[in-house]
Amino acid sequence: MEEYIKSLENEFANSADSLVAMHQKAYMRDQFDYYGLKTPIRREIQKPFLITSYLLPKEVLPKLIKILWSKPQREFQHFGQELVFKYIKAQEVEDILLYEYMITNKSWWDTVDFIAVKLLGAYFKKFPETKDATIKKWLKTNNIWLQRSAILFQLKYKKELDTLVLHNTINSLLGSKEFFINKAIGWVLREYSRTNPNWVVEFVANTNLEPLSRREALRLLK
């Protein structure tokens, strides 16, 4: 594992761009350091590390992710979540603990949205029996990133979207003044309007949404 991480670190460092890094850090409100690797460049560099035959055993994944999450450069977290996605077909029920760790540490939209849509979206389809209890638990927390994940995991579900779960999730968060919550509510409703516009129109008409959520929800329906 140490060799795997060290090799990745060397590859990232060899392609570092300090000017790009400065702009990336500023864009993310100075929360994270960067090597200055734009996404296409980073993904090209990391390709060899995501080859199936080169992947480490899944049982070391939680430890590996925590090491990547401890690194100051944001590229390590972006790589880490894409690494976890490589194990998506081998998801196990206890993986929710890893996803929660990733959501609640070094939290920002650039990682949380990937985890919610790509990882949780697949997880709750595979383990639907865990969905209700997990979502209820997250909604009761004061963690806006767990709450945002509870909203967004169905973003790409289309016809499989559970409207009752969405209805209850949004209603439990009504009155929030948190931008990232209200933006997520509008986003998931807007995306679902591509599949079921009538439901979205009726829901918006009968729900006391924040202006941001309402505006985003109806953007495609004007």
Side-chain angles (χ1 to χ4, degrees):
M1 185 188 303
E2 291 80 8
E3 182 181 349
Y4 182 89
I5 294 172
K6 187 62 178 176
S7 297
L8 177 68
E9 194 168 18
N10 289 338
E11 293 297 325
F12 280 172
N14 288 339
S15 297
D17 185 320
S18 59
L19 182 59
V20 173
M22 181 180 67
H23 290 302
Q24 289 175 323
K25 185 173 182 177
Y27 180 68
M28 287 299 191
R29 302 182 185 178
D30 295 325
Q31 296 184 95
F32 312 108
D33 291 328
Y34 284 86
Y35 282 115
L37 306 176
K38 294 183 178 180
T39 299
I41 295 173
R42 173 181 59 78
R43 286 183 170 156
E44 188 62 31
I45 293 170
Q46 72 190 32
K47 267 184 182 180
F49 296 87
L50 297 177
I51 295 173
T52 302
S53 60
Y54 194 54
L55 294 177
L56 297 173
K58 185 173 183 289
E59 54 264 28
V60 306
L61 191 59
K63 182 178 180 181
L64 176 56
I65 290 302
K66 288 179 181 179
I67 293 174
L68 292 171
W69 245 248
S70 73
K71 300 284 187 181
Q73 293 86 1
R74 193 59 166 167
E75 286 90 349
F76 287 113
Q77 288 92 62
H78 292 160
F79 167 76
Q81 62 189 14
E82 293 172 22
L83 172 65
V84 173
F85 187 69
K86 294 291 290 185
Y87 296 83
I88 201 77
K89 292 182 179 179
Q91 276 184 328
E92 301 169 280
V93 69
E94 61 267 25
D95 288 340
I96 193 66
L97 299 176
L98 176 60
Y99 303 158
E100 284 186 351
Y101 175 85
M102 295 165 69
I103 291 167
T104 56
N105 289 273
K106 294 195 173 176
S107 311
W108 203 242
W109 62 265
D110 59 323
T111 51
V112 169
D113 293 357
F114 181 100
I115 297 161
V117 177
K118 296 282 191 179
L119 304 181
L120 292 175
Y123 180 88
F124 286 129
K125 284 185 178 181
K126 187 170 184 178
F127 304 107
E129 70 280 3
T130 69
K131 180 174 60 181
D132 289 346
T134 302
I135 296 306
K136 285 178 182 177
K137 182 183 75 172
W138 288 356
L139 292 174
K140 289 179 181 178
T141 70
N142 291 321
N143 188 300
I144 65 167
W145 302 109
L146 289 174
Q147 293 173 342
R148 184 173 167 99
S149 298
I151 299 166
L152 291 180
F153 80 89
Q154 296 194 95
L155 186 72
K156 300 298 182 181
Y157 274 23
K158 298 182 180 181
K159 291 182 179 180
E160 295 181 85
L161 185 143
D162 187 327
T163 54
L164 180 59
V165 169
L166 184 61
H167 176 281
N168 291 341
T169 299
I170 293 175
N171 273 272
S172 72
L173 295 169
L174 290 179
S176 173
K177 300 302 179 183
E178 172 55 55
F179 171 83
F180 287 107
I181 295 299
N182 291 318
K183 186 76 171 181
I185 290 171
W187 186 14
V188 73
L189 289 171
R190 182 177 76 242
E191 190 67 20
Y192 190 49
S193 76
R194 301 175 190 272
T195 300
N196 193 344
N198 292 336
W199 187 92
V200 172
V201 168
E202 183 176 356
F203 178 81
V204 171
N206 292 291
T207 307
N208 188 26
L209 296 172
E210 292 296 315
L212 172 61
S213 300
R214 184 179 301 273
R215 184 169 62 251
E216 291 293 323
L218 300 176
R219 182 184 293 180
L220 301 179
L221 301 175
K222 295 179 180 179

